[in-house]
Amino acid sequence: MQVFLTPELEQLIHHQIAMGKYQSALEVITAGLHLLEQQDGIYEGRLMELQQDAQIGQEAVQREEVLEGPIAMNQIRENLQLRHAISES
């Protein structure tokens, strides 16, 4: 496979080699691809978490356990004030 890089990418690769982090352009590109793969894994994991959270929320709505925003915020504030009062005693 032949890959043509922009001058900016070539400069970045040369900079990484000059800093001594990598011995060759192939090592720089391989490291970049590994990071991309890792990032994709993190994205997939987070997507699954968000889908599970959405499912939990949907189930709470069906059970009518959802509060309106202002009511929920007031409860959060009250809980924080209670925690703060307890921590001061």
Side-chain angles (χ1 to χ4, degrees), residues 20 24 28 33 36 42 54 58 74 88-89:
S24 68
V28 176
L33 291 173
L36 181 60
I42 292 169
Q58 181 62 33
N74 285 335
E88 287 186 341
S89 23

Side-chain angles (χ1 to χ4, degrees), residues 15-28:
H15 177 72
Q16 294 294 317
I17 294 168
M19 289 179 56
K21 292 182 178 182
Y22 303 96
Q23 298 299 312
S24 68
L26 181 58
E27 283 185 19
V28 176

Side-chain angles (χ1 to χ4, degrees), residues 1-84:
M1 171 187 303
Q2 278 191 336
V3 178
F4 297 99
L5 303 174
T6 63
E8 294 83 10
L9 290 176
E10 283 187 25
Q11 184 179 12
L12 178 61
I13 290 171
H14 290 300
H15 177 72
Q16 294 294 317
I17 294 168
M19 289 179 56
K21 292 182 178 182
Y22 303 96
Q23 298 299 312
S24 68
L26 181 58
E27 283 185 19
V28 176
I29 293 168
T30 300
L33 291 173
H34 284 301
L35 286 172
L36 181 60
E37 186 176 44
Q38 185 179 32
Q39 182 181 7
D40 286 347
I42 292 169
Y43 171 80
E44 288 298 321
R46 185 65 182 128
L47 179 60
M48 285 177 40
E49 288 174 5
L50 290 172
Q51 289 171 334
Q52 290 171 349
D53 289 346
Q55 181 64 35
I56 290 168
Q58 181 62 33
E59 291 168 2
V61 167
Q62 291 172 350
R63 292 187 307 267
E64 298 181 0
E65 296 175 349
V66 177
L67 298 175
E68 293 293 321
I71 296 169
M73 290 304 298
N74 285 335
Q75 285 185 359
I76 291 169
R77 284 187 192 101
E78 289 171 9
N79 288 338
L80 288 172
Q81 289 170 351
L82 179 62
R83 285 183 191 171
H84 182 69

